[in-house]
Amino acid sequence: MPRTTDGDGTPVPRRLLAAATRLFAERGYDRTSVQEIVEAAGVTKGALYHYFGSKDDLLHEVYARVLRVQQERLDAFADADAPVEERLRGAAADVVVTTIDNLDDAAIFFRSMHHLSPEKNKQVRAERRRYHERFRALIEEGQEAGVFSKATPADLVVDYHFGSVHHLSTWYRPDGPLPPQEVADHLADLLLRALRP
């Protein structure tokens, strides 16, 4: 039975994910072997296969762990007792900050998504669709209430915002002039300006 933690108490799955994320970011998913991942994590292949069925499962989890956090946070914004404009702005800014906080994960995923098995690819698309649908529902709520313009379809507004979010890994630099929250505020403000009646 594989150990669940190492000497400092770090769970083995977390060590494997950290090693995989670093190696996928440095070398690329397709140029990283399972052996390199387990060596970097300091575990055996048996431990990897105990927690993850394949390298494909590791790639899926790199993205899924970020999306789970983002979904929980979006749900909290959407369910809050606040005006829809405030909830949408909070959600729009939050997805930018959480993406920047996990920039390697986002970059790896969008560079390597095509390596996922068809089943995993379908699963990821469904998870992203659920997120986008919840975000779109906030826009539609504001449109129905007359707070947001109906001139642009809600689907297109969602695509516009997430197009910006998904490209953060191509241009954002942690040592650049704008801190994450400032980028988030600018993009959220752009979204809301586009929705004003």
Side-chain angles (χ1 to χ4, degrees), residues 48-194:
L48 184 144
Y49 292 123
H50 176 74
Y51 293 105
F52 302 97
S54 63
K55 191 171 83 160
D56 184 64
D57 286 345
L58 273 169
L59 176 60
H60 175 255
E61 184 57 22
V62 163
Y63 184 67
R65 65 183 170 175
V66 177
L67 189 56
R68 278 194 300 273
V69 168
Q70 290 176 331
Q71 184 71 57
E72 287 171 15
R73 293 172 67 91
L74 172 59
D75 289 341
F77 280 109
D79 294 337
D81 184 20
V84 68
E85 187 172 1
E86 187 180 314
R87 289 181 283 137
L88 179 64
R89 191 190 185 287
D94 184 73
V95 72
V96 173
V97 171
T98 54
T99 298
I100 290 173
D101 286 348
N102 297 281
L103 214 51
D104 277 349
D105 301 51
I108 289 163
F109 190 77
F110 287 105
R111 276 197 317 251
S112 307
M113 183 177 169
H114 63 283
H115 290 294
L116 287 174
S117 67
E119 180 185 324
K120 283 275 189 285
N121 200 302
K122 184 177 176 183
Q123 184 180 345
V124 163
R125 288 182 188 282
E127 291 162 354
R128 275 179 51 195
R129 189 168 44 254
R130 178 175 175 258
Y131 184 94
H132 288 188
E133 285 171 356
R134 189 80 202 263
F135 194 90
R136 185 186 67 219
L138 277 173
I139 295 167
E140 290 171 337
E141 179 187 337
Q143 287 175 327
E144 290 307 312
V147 177
F148 301 146
S149 169
K150 290 184 178 181
T152 305
D155 281 337
L156 193 55
V157 176
V158 170
D159 290 343
Y160 163 79
H161 187 66
F162 286 97
S164 300
V165 172
H166 296 322
H167 281 91
L168 283 166
S169 63
T170 65
W171 65 267
Y172 183 81
R173 298 291 170 263
D175 59 352
L178 296 175
Q181 189 61 56
E182 195 171 335
V183 174
D185 289 338
H186 283 307
L187 291 178
D189 288 342
L190 277 171
L191 176 69
L192 288 179
R193 279 200 295 274

Side-chain angles (χ1 to χ4, degrees), residues 9-31:
T10 305
V12 169
R14 191 180 308 160
R15 291 170 62 201
L16 284 162
L17 276 168
T21 300
R22 184 172 50 77
L23 290 169
F24 293 165
E26 288 172 4
R27 302 179 187 178
Y29 173 83
D30 53 339
R31 292 186 302 279

